[in-house]
Amino acid sequence: MAKLPAGTLYRGKVGMWSWVLHRITGVAIFFFLLVHILDTSLVRVDPEAYNSVMATYKTVIIGFGELGLVAAILFHAFNGVRIILIDFWRKGFKYQNLMFWIVVAIAFILFAGFAPRHLMHVFSYNH
Amino acid sequence: MEIVIETPNSPRKRKGANWEKYGWMYMRISGAVLIVLIFGHLIVNLWDKGVGAIDFAFVAGKWTNPFWQVWDVLMLWLAMIHGTNGMRTITNDYAEKEWVRKTLNVSLWVVCAALIILGTLVATTFDPCIDPNAVNYLPTVCK
């Protein structure tokens, strides 16, 4: 019989889902960071090699990937502020639910401002 | 076997530094600084002229200015340690076998150290005129 996982208790609601989203976005950003340090390191090897790798970042498919990256960064950044406020602000715990929706709203507004401009950059480059 | 339970309200005995507390503080302090550094990075690199404008000459234009070298190296150190410590939290949560947990955590910090050293060397020893023959790719300062 399969062994049951030990020690995790899921309580649902905003508190759990913000935690799940913080983890998922954090892992995604971490793996992008590893790749990003390696691709940037090519500037110390060969300008032509760096430019050819950067060309893949300018394709339409990766352009949409960059939208996902920016969305992940926006959520992780503002939810991080929410976590700091829960830990250090006296009323943080009381307003954690409301603050989650403020985080979602701020991230969404900034994303809505960024996405069209980024897609214009990507599609005008590929035109 | 006799089970000894300490008096619940007795203060915890600590040996040495409380690294988990420093890690907890680090995540919050570095996170706050990274918001400024990464948002600045995204505004200059993705928002301003767009991803299409990023090439060797673009990086050279930034890294001939010590301001951006310091910015990027600081961002590298803070983000790699923040990310690696976050990944360590996750492996501590989900790895059930002790040797798996230890192996994953050691691997994380080895990768972290390697990328921090690599990135720091790249940003601090950067040479905008690295290959004089690649005229088409070099910034104007080298022509």
Side-chain angles (χ1 to χ4, degrees), chain B residues 39-50 58 62 68:
Chain B
F39 280 29
H41 182 70
L42 290 175
I43 289 166
V44 172
N45 290 35
L46 277 187
W47 173 265
D48 190 24
K49 295 216 177 71
F58 176 87
K62 281 182 89 176
W68 288 114

Side-chain angles (χ1 to χ4, degrees), chain B residues 30-43:
Chain B
S30 65
V33 179
L34 280 167
I35 289 176
V36 177
L37 291 177
I38 292 177
F39 280 29
H41 182 70
L42 290 175
I43 289 166

